[in-house]
């Protein structure tokens, strides 16, 4: 704690040999961050520019990619600063803000994936009612709720944590996430119960809903050969993204709740995967697997060549 400014600082204890490899870490992560921004915004720009892609499915994809960029921006600038700093520290208030932003965007990701699953369900299983159900106002409402609802849910534990006294000032990680709970002097059962409720409502229920809708789509596509190709082209990318994101989120949530002493290098690699893999994975999957986007990408890069 800095008594002069009355600011409490938390030290990140998850870095491995940062004093030796700081410039290597910085170059690699800066390159990855630039790739994340450029790849995601390339696909988003294509969706925005071409009116043929102004459909709910592509609008939700653009929102998902923007969410990935925001998620990376919450984490990467701080990581890059820490790599070049002698001490890897953060004020407790800034740590809470990073924690808040981190899980807001994770919740938004699951909500957007759920909406995309519903969009595909209506398109494939009720095509005649699609234009009536998925109106512009409905799409706007889904997008607004995708960012507002997670923010409301996550704000409760953040506000409660801000009032709790902390006795530990070393965080076993490189980012502020649910492991912040381990810094408190007294473990709060209320926070753990509420966290479980948020996990069920913001992650588990959306995943179950997505699996249910895709099961229905598979049943319909099995009965009707004409929709099999459409289902495969549009649903497979969503399922790949869901599986990837769910596995990484499960690791992140369990890490904060289980008293498992992972080797520092393993924890570092897994945390970097959470912040890197998914954000790079999304634009590649949607850019290559979604035919509408792929055709425009091919024209764009073929012209440059």
């Amino acid at each position: 704690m800095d008594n002069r400014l009355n600011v409490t600082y938390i030290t990140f204890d998850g870095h491995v040999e940062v004093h030796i490899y700081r410039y290597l870490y910085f170059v690699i992560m800066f390159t990855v961050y630039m790739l994340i921004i450029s790849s995601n915004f390339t696909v988003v720009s294509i969706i925005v520019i071409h009116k043929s892609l102004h459909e709910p499915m592509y609008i939700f994809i653009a929102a998902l990619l923007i969410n990935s960029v925001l998620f990376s921006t919450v984490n990467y600038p701080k990581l890059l600063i820490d790599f070049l700093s002698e001490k890897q520290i953060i004020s407790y208030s800034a740590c809470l803000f990073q924690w808040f932003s981190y899980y807001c965007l994770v919740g938004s990701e699951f909500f957007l994936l759920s909406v995309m699953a519903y969009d595909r369900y209506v398109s494939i299983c009720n095509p005649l009612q699609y234009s009536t159900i998925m109106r512009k106002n409905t799409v706007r409402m889904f997008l607004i709720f995708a960012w507002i609802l997670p923010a409301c849910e996550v704000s409760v534990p953040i506000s409660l944590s801000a009032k709790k006294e902390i006795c530990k000032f070393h965080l076993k990680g490189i980012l502020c996430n649910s492991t912040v709970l381990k810094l408190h002097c007294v473990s709060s059962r209320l926070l753990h119960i509420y966290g479980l409720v948020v996990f069920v409502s913001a992650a588990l229920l959306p995943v179950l809903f997505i699996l249910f809708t895709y099961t229905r789509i598979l049943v319909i596509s099995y009965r009707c050969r004409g929709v099999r190709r459409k289902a495969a082209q549009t649903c497979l990318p969503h399922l790949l993204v869901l599986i990837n994101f769910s596995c990484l989120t499960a690791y992140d949530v369990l890490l904060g709740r289980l008293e498992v002493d992972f080797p520092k290098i393993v924890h570092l690699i897994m945390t970097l995967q959470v912040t890197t893999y998914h954000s790079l994975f999304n634009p590649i999957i949607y850019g290559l697997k979604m035919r509408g986007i792929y055709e425009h990408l091919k024209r764009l890069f073929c012209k440059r060549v």
Side-chain angles (χ1 to χ4, degrees):
M1 176 181 288
D2 190 331
N3 294 322
R4 293 172 301 174
L5 301 176
N6 196 25
V7 177
T8 301
Y9 287 99
I10 307 299
T11 301
F12 290 118
D13 197 29
H15 292 276
V16 178
E17 302 291 349
V18 68
H19 59 287
I20 299 176
Y21 302 110
R22 64 173 73 251
Y23 297 111
L24 178 62
Y25 285 153
F26 180 87
V27 171
I28 293 174
M29 297 308 293
F30 181 78
T31 303
V32 171
Y33 185 41
M34 291 299 102
L35 284 174
I36 289 172
I37 293 176
S38 59
S39 59
N40 280 278
F41 275 125
T42 297
V43 178
V44 171
S45 298
I46 286 174
I47 294 173
V48 172
I49 292 171
H50 296 91
K51 292 184 178 181
S52 61
L53 300 181
H54 291 185
E55 299 177 5
M57 176 179 66
Y58 294 108
I59 293 173
F60 293 137
I61 289 175
L64 192 74
L65 298 183
I66 292 172
N67 197 75
S68 296
V69 173
L70 292 174
F71 180 77
S72 299
T73 303
V74 167
N75 302 314
Y76 275 79
K78 177 55 180 169
L79 282 175
L80 294 173
I81 292 172
D82 284 343
F83 290 146
L84 298 181
S85 302
E86 290 297 325
K87 294 182 179 180
Q88 292 72 46
I89 61 174
I90 187 172
S91 67
Y92 186 57
S93 58
C95 189
L96 291 177
F97 177 75
Q98 188 179 54
W99 179 19
F100 171 78
S101 305
Y102 186 97
Y103 285 110
C104 276
L105 296 169
V106 168
S108 298
E109 192 93 2
F110 278 112
F111 192 95
L112 288 169
L113 289 171
S114 301
V115 172
M116 292 165 71
Y118 177 70
D119 174 76
R120 291 301 85 206
Y121 172 78
V122 176
S123 175
I124 294 171
C125 300
N126 297 293
L128 298 179
Q129 300 178 6
Y130 182 77
S131 59
T132 303
I133 297 174
M134 299 302 294
R135 296 178 178 177
K136 288 184 178 180
N137 289 334
T138 305
V139 173
R140 290 194 192 101
M141 181 184 68
F142 281 145
L143 292 177
I144 292 171
F145 282 139
W147 281 291
I148 289 180
L149 287 180
C152 294
E153 290 181 325
V154 178
S155 62
V156 175
I158 300 300
S159 59
L160 291 176
S161 295
K163 299 176 182 179
K164 292 187 69 67
E165 184 180 359
I166 60 174
C167 294
K168 299 177 182 178
F169 302 92
H170 291 268
L171 198 64
K172 291 184 178 180
I174 59 175
L175 297 169
C176 293
N177 49 23
S178 59
T179 54
V180 174
L181 294 172
K182 296 181 179 180
L183 301 177
H184 296 162
C185 298
V186 180
S187 180
S188 173
R189 181 176 296 180
L190 177 63
L191 277 174
H192 283 283
I193 293 174
Y194 184 81
L196 182 61
V197 172
V198 172
F199 173 73
V200 171
S201 63
L204 185 58
L205 289 180
V207 169
L208 293 176
F209 173 77
I210 293 167
L211 294 177
F212 170 76
T213 55
Y214 283 134
T215 301
R216 292 290 301 161
I217 290 172
L218 288 174
V219 171
I220 296 296
S221 61
Y222 178 78
R223 294 175 182 174
C224 305
R225 293 184 179 180
V227 300
R228 287 184 187 177
R229 186 176 181 181
K230 180 180 180 181
Q233 286 180 345
T234 60
C235 295
L236 181 60
H238 303 328
L239 282 175
L240 291 174
V241 170
L242 173 67
I243 294 170
N244 169 63
F245 190 66
S246 298
C247 291
L248 295 175
T249 303
Y251 165 80
D252 180 77
V253 172
L254 291 175
L255 180 68
R257 308 234 166 231
L258 301 178
E259 295 294 334
V260 180
D261 191 15
F262 285 106
K264 187 180 289 188
I265 185 65
V266 173
H267 182 42
L268 175 65
I269 292 172
M270 289 302 298
T271 303
L272 291 177
Q273 283 195 54
V274 172
T275 58
T276 301
Y277 187 61
H278 179 68
S279 299
L280 279 177
F281 187 74
N282 282 2
I284 293 173
I285 286 296
Y286 289 119
L288 296 179
K289 294 296 183 180
M290 299 299 292
R291 189 171 183 83
I293 298 174
Y294 176 73
E295 291 297 328
H296 289 292
L297 278 173
K298 188 166 65 173
R299 291 173 191 171
L300 174 66
F301 288 106
C302 285
K303 284 181 180 180
R304 290 184 177 180
V305 174

